Amino acid sequence: MSKTYKRILLKLSGEGLMGNQAFGIDENVLSMVTDSIKKVHSKKIELCIVIGGGNFYRGVNNKNKYVDRSIADQAGMLATIINALFLKSALVAKGINCEILSGVDAPQIVERYSYRRAQELLSKGYVIIFAGGTGNPYFTTDTGATLRALETNCDALFKATQVDGVYDSDPKKNPNAKRYETVSYDEVIEKELKVMDMTAISMARENNLEIVIFKQESVDSLSNALKKKSNFTTIK
């Protein structure tokens, strides 16, 4: 019997919005993702979202020797705000009340994050997009997503990826890679499974936050993961 979730945090990758493009946002992918969110939201499940910025800029992967890591990470945080604006616009166009709360001050564009404001919006049925990471460099969007999921008392963190779960090796390189249905936080850390950064996994372990890794490939992907009807991996 599948678990009932009342409030979840959905972690989306910026790269996942590119489709077959090399950069930016594919309109069809954006429409599919927002339809997926709308389908879940219509079931009265409260939704928080964190989206990366890799389709514009990934601070953590900065290779420019003239750009300091802190500056690169700040650019990456701004990229998440860009994606949040597009995602919010698409959700609102489809009739979903949505607001962005940012860890970075940009008052002309988005609201500043606060715990009380987040709880107020959730109580009113809003979908919340958390942008700007934690507002600090050296923290990935995985860590930011875990932090926000814990702060807003989410039942679980659902991470949408390009593969259908956690594997013991890269399934794109190894056709014999084994997918885990369930894996412990400790195994992820000990085996260095490349699914989330170790800070995020450690925070989830310390606070018993369930993480579900699934493949975002259709309008039904998130719904099926919630119902445990598709391939996925649960980390707990």
Side-chain angles (χ1 to χ4, degrees):
M1 183 175 180
S2 62
K3 179 178 178 179
T4 299
Y5 299 96
K6 295 181 179 179
R7 178 183 295 176
I8 66 167
L9 187 139
L10 172 63
K11 168 63 170 58
L12 298 170
S13 72
E15 291 95 330
L17 294 180
M18 292 192 300
N20 295 321
Q21 301 176 167
F23 180 82
I25 296 174
D26 182 296
E27 182 178 332
N28 292 325
V29 174
L30 180 62
S31 180
M32 182 268 287
V33 169
T34 50
D35 281 342
S36 176
I37 292 167
K38 182 176 181 178
K39 187 170 186 177
V40 170
H41 189 249
S42 69
K43 302 297 184 182
K44 306 302 180 185
I45 296 174
E46 296 177 351
L47 268 164
C48 303
I49 301 170
V50 168
I51 187 166
N55 52 326
F56 290 111
Y57 193 82
R58 287 179 60 85
V60 72
N61 285 351
N62 171 55
K63 305 296 183 184
N64 191 325
K65 65 180 181 180
Y66 299 110
V67 178
D68 182 78
R69 168 67 189 272
S70 295
I71 301 301
D73 282 356
Q74 288 169 0
M77 286 186 271
L78 294 177
T80 71
I81 294 177
I82 294 172
N83 281 335
L85 289 168
F86 279 97
L87 183 60
K88 175 187 174 180
S89 182
L91 287 169
V92 170
K94 294 184 178 184
I96 300 174
N97 289 327
C98 179
E99 193 53 81
I100 300 170
L101 299 180
S102 173
V104 174
D105 280 326
Q108 291 89 349
I109 305 172
V110 291
E111 286 189 48
R112 176 71 177 182
Y113 169 79
S114 77
Y115 169 80
R116 281 180 290 185
R117 181 60 172 152
Q119 295 297 335
E120 176 189 355
L121 289 168
L122 286 168
S123 70
K124 294 179 179 178
Y126 275 68
V127 169
I128 302 177
I129 305 172
F130 296 120
T134 65
N136 302 289
Y138 294 95
F139 291 94
T140 69
T141 49
D142 281 342
T143 298
T146 304
L147 174 63
R148 296 296 186 234
L150 293 170
E151 287 180 313
T152 50
N153 303 309
C154 288
D155 297 320
L157 189 161
F158 281 71
K159 182 176 179 179
T161 69
Q162 303 304 305
V163 292
D164 59 350
V166 179
Y167 285 77
D168 60 359
S169 60
D170 189 343
K172 294 181 179 179
K173 297 178 180 178
N174 178 14
N176 297 315
K178 172 191 172 184
R179 182 178 61 81
Y180 297 94
E181 289 193 6
T182 303
V183 63
S184 70
Y185 308 111
D186 288 337
E187 283 183 279
V188 173
I189 294 171
E190 290 168 7
K191 296 179 180 179
E192 297 185 351
L193 301 176
K194 306 298 183 182
V195 57
M196 297 179 80
D197 69 79
M198 294 301 103
T199 302
I201 293 295
S202 295
M203 287 176 60
R205 179 183 61 179
E206 290 169 10
N207 296 278
N208 296 313
L209 176 67
E210 178 181 310
I211 302 171
V212 179
I213 310 296
F214 71 101
K215 185 175 183 179
Q216 180 70 63
E217 58 185 343
S218 75
V219 172
D220 295 317
S221 295
L222 178 57
S223 295
N224 288 338
L226 281 161
K227 297 173 184 176
K228 304 298 175 71
K229 285 187 175 181
S230 60
N231 287 343
F232 60 89
T233 298
T234 302
I235 304 172
K236 61 182 180 178

